[in-house]
Amino acid sequence: MKKIIYLIFGISLIIGLGSCGVGKYKVASKPEAKTFSSVTIDTLIEDETLNVRAIEVVDSVGLAYLTSDGKFGMYFNNDAPEFDTIKKAFPIQIKHDTITPNFRALAIADNKGYGLSIGSPALVFNLDVDLHKNTVVYQENHEKAFYDSMAFWNENEGIAIGDPTDDCLSVIITRDKGKTWTKLSCDVLPKAKEGEAAFAASDTNIAMVGDKTWVATGGKASRILYSPDKGYTWQVFDTPIIQGLETTGIYSIDFYDENNGFAVGGDYTKADNNVANKIRTLDGGKTWQVVADGVGPGYRSCVQYVPNSNARQLVAIGFKGIDYSSDAGTTWTHLSDDGYYTLRFLNDSTAYAAGNKKISKLTFK
């Protein structure tokens, strides 16, 4: 929730070595995963200066990440010799003129990566591993500009959302593989309430299933903006999550399918408060119910469905630890005090987590 620089980068060199895509694996093509009672944590990257809120899985390759000090990195899960050259290129320091970007979001689509960072002015880059090929494709000069999260529907169409600069949420969309971006007029978006914005905490303000899109807002008002058609038309739904202060509301949202969704948040300044900070929908986001009220985890910055779990299993993480639910969020088990900001599943028992000073592999058992 500050001013943003927004970076878009192509990683064709990586993709040439493996297929690219964000792997949530939510299609229930396998038997439902067994329930978990513990998590094993293996630290992959550790550095005192590391601060990561933006990660994505790159299929058959590993993990892509962006840092708060402007670095683009990769963790490779394959030790094959053909990866040696590209491994030596990372992490890559990214700068624009004299600006070192503070990244908060990352998306991968087809053979390109797209990144989002805090800074001013708001800029969109078509960014390549070859830093000499970087080009600015969007620039927004506004003192209130602050973009929080981004995602792609397919290889051509993507969206990024941010705090209001006028009387609606800031939404920019590309329909041409990131070459150009257009900011939606407030005439087609729901009007924002006073103090309503979004949080750049884990790059999970946006959830997508097919053409359907849900955007979570937070702050003094915390609602769901919904588009059934990849951002052409919009509706807005109220939620019962805790709200009313600048630090309250939804910090993360995920959908398992077009009906089942979950959101977490709370107030990071009162991280142990677990009242009205976990909500669930069974009707595609139209209505929401508070679950585990006053029990289970307090403030959490990221929630993700466990793949192939029939919308029953969830993992929520934050700087206070890792929590797991096997009954769609009704009850929760605290698995670890190890703190992280964001999480992405590799398969139905393994995930990557990133946060302050570390990136880890989580194995649920």
Side-chain angles (χ1 to χ4, degrees):
M1 294 170 79
K2 287 189 179 178
K3 297 179 181 178
I4 296 278
I5 292 180
Y6 198 143
L7 294 163
I8 300 193
F9 49 99
I11 50 175
S12 56
L13 180 58
I14 297 169
I15 306 312
L17 298 174
S19 62
C20 178
V22 178
K24 284 198 173 181
Y25 306 98
K26 290 181 181 175
V27 178
S29 58
K30 300 178 182 179
E32 183 174 332
K34 64 180 181 180
T35 57
F36 305 135
S37 59
S38 65
V39 60
T40 299
I41 300 172
D42 297 310
T43 301
L44 306 175
I45 302 171
E46 192 168 20
D47 190 312
E48 285 294 314
T49 66
L50 194 67
N51 190 295
V52 179
R53 299 174 187 267
I55 61 173
E56 290 294 350
V57 172
V58 182
D59 292 349
S60 77
V61 176
L63 182 76
Y65 66 91
L66 294 172
T67 74
S68 63
D69 60 353
K71 293 186 177 69
F72 166 37
M74 290 286 298
Y75 170 79
F76 295 88
N77 57 22
N78 192 322
D79 293 325
E82 59 264 29
F83 282 84
D84 288 346
T85 300
I86 192 169
K87 286 177 182 178
K88 294 176 182 178
F90 291 99
I92 295 169
Q93 180 65 63
I94 298 167
K95 286 192 175 183
H96 173 62
D97 293 332
T98 60
I99 298 171
T100 299
N102 181 343
F103 287 108
R104 293 298 181 94
L106 169 65
I108 295 174
D110 192 31
N111 67 339
K112 290 185 178 180
Y114 304 82
L116 172 66
S117 83
I118 295 172
S120 177
L123 302 172
V124 177
F125 284 73
N126 187 358
L127 188 65
D128 197 273
V129 170
D130 182 349
L131 298 183
H132 296 291
K133 297 180 180 179
N134 296 345
T135 56
V136 175
V137 293
Y138 178 82
Q139 180 167 335
E140 183 175 336
N141 297 309
H142 197 293
E143 62 181 3
K144 295 182 180 179
F146 183 93
Y147 286 86
D148 306 280
S149 187
M150 64 190 314
F152 270 67
W153 294 286
N154 52 53
E155 66 182 37
N156 295 311
E157 298 170 291
I159 181 175
I161 64 96
D163 296 356
T165 56
D166 296 305
D167 61 354
C168 67
L169 207 69
S170 293
V171 178
I172 63 172
I173 289 179
T174 181
R175 308 282 184 190
D176 60 3
K177 297 186 177 182
K179 296 176 184 177
T180 62
W181 293 76
T182 302
K183 187 169 184 178
L184 297 187
S185 166
C186 286
D187 293 340
V188 300
L189 288 165
K191 185 176 181 179
K193 291 187 174 182
E194 182 180 356
E196 184 177 21
F199 295 109
S202 62
D203 191 21
T204 50
N205 308 73
I206 304 168
M208 294 174 171
V209 176
D211 293 347
K212 296 178 171 62
T213 308
W214 298 265
V215 173
T217 70
K220 293 184 179 180
S222 187
R223 303 186 294 171
I224 302 297
L225 275 63
Y226 169 70
S227 173
D229 52 12
K230 294 185 293 185
Y232 286 103
T233 63
W234 293 87
Q235 305 172 51
V236 64
F237 306 123
D238 292 329
T239 79
I241 202 163
I242 185 172
Q243 51 198 281
L245 300 175
E246 291 184 353
T247 53
T248 58
I250 299 171
Y251 280 73
S252 177
I253 186 172
D254 196 21
F255 268 74
Y256 186 87
D257 53 33
E258 63 182 19
N259 294 315
N260 293 278
F262 205 90
V264 300
D267 185 341
Y268 79 90
T269 68
K270 301 175 182 177
D272 292 328
N273 188 351
N274 56 10
V275 174
N277 72 316
K278 302 171 287 293
I279 60 173
R280 178 176 64 203
T281 182
L282 305 177
D283 59 7
K286 296 179 180 66
T287 62
W288 295 80
Q289 299 78 40
V290 172
V291 296
D293 195 19
V295 295
Y299 165 78
R300 293 295 181 266
S301 57
C302 185
V303 67
Q304 296 281 279
Y305 279 101
V306 177
N308 303 311
S309 66
N310 197 29
R312 298 291 295 170
Q313 299 183 51
L314 294 150
V315 173
I317 65 173
F319 59 76
K320 284 279 189 171
I322 304 168
D323 297 86
Y324 165 73
S325 175
S326 62
D327 54 10
T330 302
T331 61
W332 291 83
T333 300
H334 186 67
L335 298 181
S336 173
D337 290 333
D338 212 20
Y340 297 92
Y341 298 140
T342 193
L343 171 86
R344 298 293 185 277
F345 272 94
L346 177 63
N347 54 45
D348 55 17
S349 61
T350 307
Y352 293 112
N356 185 30
K357 302 180 182 179
K358 61 191 173 184
I359 297 174
S360 300
K361 181 179 180 181
L362 310 183
T363 303
F364 297 92
K365 300 177 181 179

